[in-house]
Each structure stands twice: as structure tokens, then as C-alpha cells.
Amino acid sequence: MRLKALTVLLKKKRLIVSAGCLAVFFVLGGILYTLNKEEPRKTPEKLMDDQVDLQVMNVHYTEATDEGVIWEVHAESAQYRKKDNLALLKNPKITLTMPDGRNFVLTGKEGTLKQDSKDMKLTGDVHLQSSNGDSFKTDEVTYSGKEKRCHTGSPVNLKNSRMQINATGMSISLADEHLTLLSGVKACIQR
């Protein structure tokens, strides 16, 4: 009887040890499966819009027009859309040198430039500085390449050595420097 009880006890122990080993095997298998499980592939982010044909960093572009105006464009980055003949500029600085030697420097946070017409729009902390000392600040400005004219409907601050003017809306011809302030003009003139 004692032998029979010992045999039953040994079978129970083997069964318990086998079940324990099997449990450890499944736990280890689960851990290994979790560690080696391949994560789903992430789709790569688009770096460029589908409409962008060319993207360039640290841009420097110079062009002389038939009228003798020299364009010099610097930008942190530019995207070119051939279909629209349009350059999208980040932190542009555009220098226009007129045939008589006067120059105008336009800066802003963003800009667009139509390659064929030289029409341009700058937005975000726009600053226009002329070589005669006039300084204009506004939120956005549009430049017509055909008319050689900058205009805006936004508030404008004009400063030079003799005066400071605040207004809403402005139009200035870069060809003859004729300035028109549209409304709400407040001026402080020094003698």
C-alpha cells in the first residue's frame, strides 16, 4: 500500500512540475512574442505638397529685367510651383535696385512671387526700407511688377529722419516715390 501511495505521490509531483514547466514555457513564449512583435510601419510624412515641383533651402536669386531693375531675392527656403509659375518664400528679403541706383528692401515672414509678372505679396512683419531713409512697417504688402507699385490696406507706420506717420492703407510708386496714404492719417513732423 505504501508503494502505491508513493507512486501516486510521484505522479502528482510530475504532473505539478510538468504543468509548472508548461506554464513557464508559455509565459516566456508570450514575452518573446511581445518583444519580437513587429510594429506596424508608419507612413512617411510628406515633406512637400504634391503641387510643389522644387524646394530649395538658403535661396539667393538675382535677375535683371529689361527695364534695368535688378531683383535680388534671399530667403530661408523657397518652393516653386511650375504650373502656377509661383515661388513661395519663407523669411524673404527682396532688394529692388532701380535703374537710377535707388534701392528698396522688402522683408517679411512669408511671401509669394509670380515669376513672369514679378507680382509679389509679403505677409507678417513686413518692412520696406528705401535708400533715401524712408522706412515702412505693415502686416502685408502687395507689389505690382508692371506698375512698380506697393500697396496695402493694413495699418502702416512710416518713419524717416523728419517725420513719423501712422495711417490705414498706403500706395507707393517705386518708380517716382509718389506716396498716397488712404485713411486715418496721423503725423508727427519735426523741424
Side-chain angles (χ1 to χ4, degrees), residues 3-19:
L3 186 57
K4 205 174 197 184
L6 188 61
T7 307
V8 170
L9 186 60
L10 284 175
K11 283 184 181 180
K12 281 184 181 179
K13 281 185 179 180
R14 272 193 231 148
L15 185 62
I16 290 172
V17 169
S18 296

Side-chain angles (χ1 to χ4, degrees), residues 42-61:
K42 296 179 182 177
T43 56
E45 291 185 34
K46 284 188 171 185
L47 297 177
M48 288 192 321
D49 186 331
D50 290 338
Q51 298 175 359
V52 174
D53 297 301
L54 176 68
Q55 182 166 331
V56 183
M57 303 298 289
N58 299 319
V59 176
H60 181 198
Y61 170 79

Side-chain angles (χ1 to χ4, degrees), residues 126-165:
V126 177
H127 187 209
L128 169 62
Q129 181 74 43
S130 71
S131 56
N132 70 2
D134 292 333
S135 174
F136 301 87
K137 291 184 181 180
T138 187
D139 292 330
E140 70 175 33
V141 70
T142 303
Y143 172 78
S144 168
K146 182 178 180 182
E147 298 174 358
K148 311 280 185 288
R149 177 175 300 280
C150 288
H151 62 277
T152 184
S154 298
V156 173
N157 177 271
L158 162 64
K159 286 183 183 180
N160 65 23
S161 61
R162 296 182 356 208
M163 64 182 151
Q164 180 172 336
I165 300 173

Side-chain angles (χ1 to χ4, degrees), residues 49 52 75 77-81 86-90 110-113:
D49 186 331
V52 174
S77 67
Q79 295 180 344
Y80 181 66
R81 296 181 179 180
L86 182 69
L88 306 171
L89 307 168
K90 193 73 152 174
E110 294 183 345
T112 60
L113 174 63

